[in-house]
Amino acid sequence: MKIAVYPGSFDPVTNGHLDIIVRARALFDRVIVAVAENPHKKPLFAVTERVEMLSSVLAGFPDVKVDAYSGLTVFYARKQGACAIIRGLRAISDFENEFVMALTNKKLAPEIETLFLMTEAKYSFISSSAVKEVAFYGGCLKDMVPPLVEAALRAKFSGSRENEG
Ligand code: ADP
């Protein structure tokens, strides 16, 4: 049984993330989408909210499990019995950080490979931070996030926009 862990902030999940998950499903028996609890980041959505959104969106995929973790990704992946960590690549700008992270992870857990998957071009510009920015100013999120994520973003920002006047 080949298991892959796809770790990330998923704050919130976008159609770019989903495209990577669909691609990973074709390569592995089981994909664990793992929401990282990172004390250095200030997320918009709580870990439980991010897990709930992912679980709803991925409900039709029995081979995909959604989980949350803290600490080093390789330790989590090892505990899950994973042979690979999946990361998505959008542009060259993603590469430098990912390169360092993959080599560090390989040093810590040589038995786990990092696999980079590219998204379809139409999703390559999407990031969670851009999506939050668009939502904050009331822009259209069609084709960028699933409808339930769009609703959650609108709900999060409805108060702040009212305050803006
Ligand atoms: P992190 O904080 O770990 O980067 P993200 O949720 O931003 O968490 O991203 C998780 C992974 O998904 C990363 O490997 C990132 O490069 C990838 N990713 C995010 N958005 C896209 C996208 N539109 N296309 C391809 N990969 C993406």
Side-chain angles (χ1 to χ4, degrees):
M1 172 115 158
K2 290 219 176 294
I3 301 171
V5 167
Y6 177 33
S9 307
F10 304 104
D11 185 39
V13 58
T14 68
N15 287 348
H17 292 127
L18 295 177
D19 187 56
I20 297 293
I21 293 166
V22 167
R23 285 159 196 271
R25 285 183 70 214
L27 301 171
F28 294 91
D29 301 309
R30 194 166 174 74
V31 176
I32 302 172
V33 180
V35 177
E37 281 189 64
N38 187 338
H40 306 297
K41 286 191 179 173
K42 274 199 139 218
L44 176 65
F45 292 99
V47 169
T48 47
E49 293 177 298
R50 285 179 269 158
V51 166
E52 266 172 36
M53 282 187 277
L54 277 161
S55 303
S56 306
V57 171
L58 298 167
F61 298 157
D63 52 335
V64 179
K65 178 181 138 180
V66 181
D67 196 9
Y69 75 103
S70 55
L72 289 177
T73 302
V74 277
F75 292 169
Y76 172 78
R78 188 181 270 160
K79 221 165 125 192
Q80 299 299 316
C83 60
I85 290 172
I86 305 287
R87 295 291 287 175
L89 281 182
R90 283 162 290 196
I92 298 197
S93 51
D94 278 339
F95 184 75
E96 202 171 329
N97 282 339
E98 295 293 340
F99 179 75
V100 171
M101 205 170 3
L103 289 177
T104 308
N105 286 343
K106 188 76 181 166
K107 176 88 182 142
L108 294 170
E111 79 281 14
I112 300 175
E113 292 296 339
T114 298
L115 195 67
F116 294 103
L117 297 178
M118 273 177 64
T119 180
E120 215 180 299
K122 67 178 177 186
Y123 299 123
S124 61
F125 69 96
I126 303 174
S127 68
S128 297
S129 42
V131 156
K132 284 182 274 193
E133 185 83 0
V134 172
F136 180 79
Y137 289 108
C140 178
L141 290 167
K142 190 174 173 294
D143 299 331
M144 293 166 80
V145 294
L148 76 88
V149 173
E150 178 165 6
L153 281 162
R154 301 257 175 260
K156 271 281 180 217
F157 287 129
S158 60
S160 11
R161 295 200 70 233
E162 272 158 30
N163 293 343
E164 257 196 347

